[in-house]
Amino acid sequence: MAWEDVQDIRAEPVRGSDGGFIPRVVVYAYLTGGRRKLLKHLDDKEYDVDREIAVPRAARAELRGTDTAPDVPAA
């Protein structure tokens, strides 16, 4: 997936998980066109999810550049 296609990165609860073998929280990248992609192995079983998703969110902001910034008229 390309960074320009990533609209958001979110942690979401897993329905019905008791925290045994299945993680309680998983992370998805939300893409253009309404699709989402599971970010494998990024869950609450091994990681502090909030801290870990801060890294790809920061990378997304940096790598997407300023394409979402308002246009500034030329002087």
Side-chain angles (χ1 to χ4, degrees):
M1 91 185 99
W3 282 110
E4 58 267 8
D5 293 336
V6 178
Q7 300 298 309
D8 197 9
I9 299 171
R10 290 188 237 159
E12 296 190 5
V14 176
R15 288 188 203 176
S17 174
D18 62 1
F21 290 110
I22 300 171
R24 292 182 182 185
V25 177
V26 294
V27 178
Y28 290 97
Y30 283 81
L31 309 173
T32 54
R35 299 173 318 202
R36 72 179 185 177
K37 181 167 180 75
L38 177 67
L39 301 180
K40 294 180 183 180
H41 309 291
L42 186 49
D43 57 48
D44 68 335
K45 296 297 278 181
E46 302 286 332
Y47 302 101
D48 175 347
V49 172
D50 292 330
R51 187 184 76 200
E52 293 298 321
I53 64 174
V55 173
R57 280 183 173 168
R60 175 190 164 267
E62 180 181 334
L63 295 172
R64 284 194 73 192
T66 58
D67 63 338
T68 58
D71 290 336
V72 177

